[in-house]
Amino acid sequence: MTFTALPARKQPRDRVLRCLNCLARMDIPAKADRFACPRCKMEYEIGWRAGQAKILGLTHYFED
Amino acid sequence: MALRGKVAVIDLTKGEITKNSIPEKLRRLYLGGRGLQAYLIYNHLKPGADPLGPDNVLVTSAGLLTGTMAPAAARSQWGGKSPVTGAIASSNMGGFFGSELKFAGFEHLVVKGASKKPVYLWVHDDEIEIRDASHLWGKDTFETQQIIREELGDEDIKIGCIGIAGENLVRLANFRTGPKDAAGRTGTGCIAGSKKLKAVAVRGNLGLRLAHPQKALEYAKEAIDKIMMTKVAKAMGVDGTSYIWNVTNTSGLLEWMNAQTNKFPFGDWHNMTIERFHEEYSVGIAACFNCTVHCRHQFRLKEGALVGAFGEGPEYNTQTAFGTFGLDNWGDMLLGWHLANLYGIDTTGWCNAVRGCMELYQRGIIDKKVTGGLDLSWSNAKELTPKLLQLTAKNEGFGAIVGQGPLGIIKELSKYSDKIDYYILHCKGLGKLGNVDRVQPSFSLGIATSTRGADHLRSRPALDHYHLPEDVLEKLYGGYVSSDFTSYDGKARMVRWHELTYAVVDSIGTCKFQTVFFSPNLPCYEEWCKYLLYNAGLEFTPEELFDIGERVYTLERMINQREAGHTRKDDYPPERSFKEGLPYGLGPVKGKHLVRKKYEKMLDEYYELHGWDKDGIPTSGTLKWLELDQEPSHII
């Protein structure tokens, strides 16, 4: 028995994230560790899990 | 009918055990798991029973499909009358206990009465024995499981048990299995302790009679492919539910210092991320029964009192909980988590209680005279945590107050201020988790109306954050729902839909994380109908399942009305959510709080959708339609 989805696990939207500030979709360049939303310019620290981009946090955490 | 699965009623006062098959009528009305458990609680619990008395019941249930080939059909459910809230106790856990219970020939165990001496149940291949547990009394939850396996001579025995917190009648005590899984909330371990029931050990070799095994296998393959193609399956398979923490912390959707701020106040937030856990503590990741996602972290403690200890978890919710009151690194959080697991304490509830008391201490409402000399400063969290966990587990000193949960704390401390109820954050007496609700009306409504009290697993509309196209939302929810998570429009519909859907999932026994909880592309009603047909031979339409969800949710509501007098007044989030705007956060979050007028309108809409009156009471027409008007029917 084979599971077709298991070996591949690479998916077309692995590098697509949504901006948490303005909700626009963001295409993250491969291996980027920072990325600014093209629409609102909010900048994020980016991490990677098995080829999938993820937001780690804000480069400028909430300032007083 | 396919599948084994009987109901056993165990009277610990009389030492009697009766076994009943499950009539097909009840199957079609309640499925199994949480649904049939609500029926058993309503029918077997003596109305008005003392939660710590022999008239309370402890019901252990496997889902209808638990143990079958349905993906992630691993769940078991524990319930009764809650010692924390006085309303329904209801808690769901993963692992391997539920499937083993099914393999042993049982689906539900109704434990009544109380034993005079400590006992445990040995459930195996259609047999149940009540055995002496005197030698287990005083043992932690890890040791208890190992001793039982050794004395019964089988390493594959699965065990649910309590720790010393349950033995000492700590209301926040839980029931645990394996190194990680817990029926954590609403005090199920305390109920067990009141019955002197230390553990339930299960082992089965009976197998299950699937209705259409080949079709069940083929469809499992199709469903697993679908599950594993989602983005969330990969995120969960690597980071577990902790993947959520980065998103909520980045947005300003975590509440720190008892919801006084939504900006991490204890140093560098990087130390709290799952990435740091991977770097420093992770030793693997595991799965529950029949799960291909595998989201259970495994770790080994590197320092402190329990250096070298192996554990599993935690989930996002516990990561959040321990962080909210001042633990600022994984080492301290994991120690707290592991100690709570050994003692058998609900981490979400305990952390809620502690951070509430810490704010009272910060404001000078209570001091060291009240805490028995404990320093409840936020900066003292590291030293405080092990001490207060131990006091809680022993039901001693200030731990005896914390361990009661919100209602007990409010009762004990109200002599010091008339504002205690404002700072102890709860709904229906169950402590609120550490997530911001006040900017997301759907989340506020969900935790407020949840039948077991402030909790997200009864209705969490995580999809509300995905900004999905509104036509997609309309198709899913059957009516207009705004794609703006800060909007109130359509959110009553959304919450009610998730309530009924999760009631169905918990009754079937599959994992919520492999449902629409996390993605619209994960299995939903159409898939569950096929799971049920191929595995159990039961034919349902999606609409029929949805109606079962309504029946289960309404019956739980009836339990709460009968036992705790719950009405509309109990369907509100903490007052703080209406009064204090969030000081930080991204654009959609900063400065926001709930608006009471809009909340009231949303609550009216919610009641109308359920078929309940303006006070939240199910109408006679609703009860008749749901065939609840004859309950309690005492069929089993």
Side-chain angles (χ1 to χ4, degrees):
Chain A
M1 187 168 179
T2 55
F3 293 89
T4 52
L6 290 178
R9 290 181 64 96
K10 187 174 179 181
Q11 291 141 26
R13 291 171 57 207
D14 271 353
R15 291 194 290 108
V16 178
L17 295 174
R18 201 181 273 286
C19 174
L20 298 172
N21 187 49
C22 74
L23 305 175
R25 287 190 191 281
M26 308 185 293
D27 279 305
I28 312 296
K31 298 182 182 174
D33 58 6
R34 289 186 175 210
F35 188 79
C37 171
R39 188 201 279 177
C40 73
K41 311 303 177 198
M42 185 63 68
E43 189 179 53
Y44 299 98
E45 291 184 23
I46 302 294
W48 296 87
R49 64 166 89 83
Q52 188 179 67
K54 58 179 173 180
I55 288 174
L56 299 181
L58 298 169
T59 55
H60 302 287
Y61 193 46
F62 312 129
E63 287 161 356
D64 293 310
Chain B
M1 191 190 135
L3 302 185
R4 297 173 191 274
K6 289 186 282 292
V7 176
V9 180
I10 300 127
D11 188 325
L12 291 180
T13 302
K14 298 176 182 170
E16 293 176 356
I17 299 168
T18 56
K19 303 170 194 170
N20 303 286
S21 57
I22 299 170
E24 188 161 346
K25 178 184 178 184
L26 291 182
R27 278 283 187 226
R28 294 207 66 84
L29 289 173
Y30 298 101
L31 298 171
R34 178 177 150 197
L36 203 48
Q37 182 173 100
Y39 174 87
L40 291 167
I41 293 170
Y42 198 71
N43 278 268
H44 286 266
L45 174 70
K46 186 177 177 184
D50 174 0
L52 298 184
D55 291 331
N56 197 1
V57 294
L58 178 66
V59 186
T60 304
S61 306
L64 170 55
L65 294 181
T66 299
T68 70
M69 281 190 272
R75 310 297 293 188
S76 60
Q77 166 83 22
W78 303 70
K81 179 171 178 177
S82 171
V84 184
T85 68
I88 190 171
S90 180
S91 201
N92 195 276
M93 71 182 183
F96 298 85
F97 182 92
S99 50
E100 202 67 36
L101 182 64
K102 293 288 281 289
F103 300 152
F106 295 94
E107 190 174 298
H108 303 266
L109 308 176
V110 182
V111 180
K112 307 172 94 163
S115 174
K116 287 182 179 169
K117 61 175 187 176
V119 293
Y120 76 92
L121 300 180
W122 170 217
V123 182
H124 56 105
D125 293 351
D126 269 339
E127 298 293 330
I128 299 175
E129 299 171 38
I130 303 171
R131 297 176 67 111
D132 177 57
S134 301
H135 59 303
L136 300 171
W137 212 247
K139 304 293 185 191
D140 68 48
T141 61
F142 281 39
E143 201 177 2
T144 297
Q145 296 182 61
Q146 195 51 41
I147 292 172
I148 291 175
R149 288 193 186 103
E150 284 169 8
E151 74 183 30
L152 295 175
D154 187 343
E155 273 297 305
D156 288 327
I157 290 170
K158 305 298 184 288
I159 296 148
C161 67
I162 60 172
I164 64 167
E167 294 173 10
N168 291 326
L169 304 183
V170 175
R171 290 173 191 266
L172 294 178
N174 62 17
F175 221 95
R176 307 188 48 75
T177 183
K180 171 184 178 290
D181 298 287
R185 309 222 68 192
T186 63
T188 52
C190 182
I191 302 174
S194 73
K195 296 182 179 305
K196 291 275 197 296
L197 177 67
K198 178 68 178 176
V200 181
V202 295
R203 181 77 172 109
N205 294 294
L206 298 176
L208 299 175
R209 289 191 301 257
L210 300 189
H212 308 286
Q214 189 58 35
K215 284 185 178 173
L217 182 64
E218 288 166 6
Y219 191 67
K221 172 184 177 297
E222 191 178 323
I224 288 168
D225 276 348
K226 181 173 183 166
I227 291 162
M228 298 308 291
M229 283 301 290
T230 60
K231 286 181 78 173
V232 73
K234 185 183 286 185
M236 290 279 284
V238 177
D239 290 342
T241 51
S242 289
Y243 86 89
I244 305 168
W245 194 94
N246 291 353
V247 177
T248 47
N249 180 53
T250 302
S251 303
L253 290 172
L254 291 177
E255 293 180 332
W256 308 101
M257 298 171 68
N258 204 38
Q260 294 181 82
T261 182
N262 57 334
K263 174 184 176 183
F264 182 61
F266 304 121
D268 184 357
W269 58 264
H270 291 87
N271 292 330
M272 306 288 285
T273 63
I274 189 61
E275 290 71 27
R276 195 56 54 88
F277 172 86
H278 286 314
E279 289 165 16
E280 298 186 6
Y281 294 96
S282 175
V283 294
I285 196 158
C288 297
F289 176 84
N290 200 15
C291 174
T292 51
V293 171
H294 55 72
C295 68
R296 303 158 62 101
H297 293 298
Q298 298 179 315
F299 65 86
R300 198 169 290 282
L301 294 174
K302 295 198 308 184
E303 61 273 302
L306 296 174
V307 63
F310 170 84
E312 287 191 353
E315 301 284 345
Y316 158 73
N317 202 32
T318 295
Q319 175 191 9
T320 301
F322 278 110
T324 50
F325 66 80
L327 298 185
D328 61 359
N329 64 84
W330 277 99
D332 292 337
M333 285 199 294
L334 289 174
L335 177 61
W337 158 250
H338 199 65
L339 284 170
N341 290 349
L342 292 170
Y343 295 138
I345 295 173
D346 165 24
T347 53
T348 304
W350 187 82
C351 291
N352 162 275
V354 172
R355 62 181 175 255
C357 291
M358 288 173 91
E359 183 171 359
L360 298 179
Y361 189 87
Q362 170 201 322
R363 293 180 181 279
I365 294 171
I366 60 173
D367 57 21
K368 284 187 178 177
K369 287 182 202 154
V370 178
T371 67
L374 290 175
D375 177 2
L376 263 55
S377 306
W378 303 105
S379 59
N380 191 46
K382 178 185 171 80
E383 283 70 35
L384 176 70
T385 299
K387 279 184 203 166
L388 191 47
L389 270 169
Q390 187 180 55
L391 285 171
T392 304
K394 290 181 173 177
N395 215 353
E396 292 175 354
F398 193 64
I401 294 176
V402 167
Q404 295 182 40
L407 298 183
I409 293 170
I410 292 165
K411 189 177 172 188
E412 295 272 359
L413 301 183
S414 283
K415 58 190 166 196
Y416 301 111
S417 166
D418 59 2
K419 295 201 77 179
I420 304 293
D421 194 26
Y422 185 83
Y423 296 119
I424 302 297
L425 305 177
H426 71 97
C427 304
K428 297 186 176 71
L430 195 70
K432 184 178 176 292
L433 57 164
N435 276 70
V436 167
D437 69 280
R438 64 191 103 165
V439 297
Q440 186 187 358
S442 63
F443 191 45
S444 297
L445 182 66
I447 62 167
T449 57
S450 160
T451 47
R452 70 175 181 177
D455 187 76
H456 60 304
L457 292 173
R458 290 289 136 121
S459 65
R460 185 169 198 152
L463 298 185
D464 206 8
H465 280 286
Y466 291 14
H467 198 52
L468 295 170
E470 286 180 345
D471 58 332
V472 172
L473 294 176
E474 185 157 352
K475 188 177 173 189
L476 184 64
Y477 296 117
Y480 175 75
V481 172
S482 170
S483 63
D484 174 1
F485 75 82
T486 67
S487 168
Y488 294 73
D489 295 339
K491 300 308 166 73
R493 174 180 295 280
M494 184 181 228
V495 169
R496 184 240 183 182
W497 189 91
H498 282 277
E499 286 176 342
L500 306 197
T501 301
Y502 298 167
V504 172
V505 173
D506 289 340
S507 302
I508 290 173
T510 55
C511 178
K512 278 192 191 75
F513 296 160
Q514 296 191 22
T515 71
V516 284
F517 187 97
F518 275 141
S519 166
N521 299 318
L522 284 167
C524 198
Y525 287 96
E526 295 285 348
E527 288 82 2
W528 301 334
C529 288
K530 289 177 182 167
Y531 293 173
L532 286 162
L533 178 61
Y534 299 147
N535 287 283
L538 293 169
E539 195 166 354
F540 287 100
T541 65
E543 292 74 22
E544 286 172 331
L545 289 184
F546 196 67
D547 289 349
I548 291 172
E550 184 70 84
R551 181 174 297 110
V552 172
Y553 216 80
T554 300
L555 183 55
E556 291 177 345
R557 184 93 179 170
M558 289 164 66
I559 293 170
N560 286 352
Q561 283 164 354
R562 189 182 78 179
E563 299 300 322
H566 285 174
T567 60
R568 184 184 185 108
K569 70 183 187 314
D570 302 288
D571 289 335
Y572 292 85
E575 191 65 9
R576 188 168 232 161
S577 296
F578 290 102
K579 291 194 168 167
E580 297 182 27
L582 291 168
Y584 298 99
L586 295 181
V589 171
K590 189 174 181 180
K592 302 276 178 54
H593 59 75
L594 284 175
V595 178
R596 190 174 299 279
K597 194 174 173 184
K598 291 181 179 179
Y599 183 88
E600 298 285 3
K601 182 170 176 284
M602 182 169 63
L603 190 56
D604 285 340
E605 291 168 1
Y606 167 86
Y607 288 156
E608 193 174 338
L609 286 163
H610 270 297
W612 304 344
D613 67 18
K614 291 274 186 190
D615 207 26
I617 310 289
T619 66
S620 57
T622 297
L623 295 182
K624 191 170 183 183
W625 167 64
L626 293 171
E627 300 183 51
L628 289 170
D629 54 335
Q630 299 301 313
E631 293 302 336
S633 59
H634 299 296
I635 296 172
I636 49 173

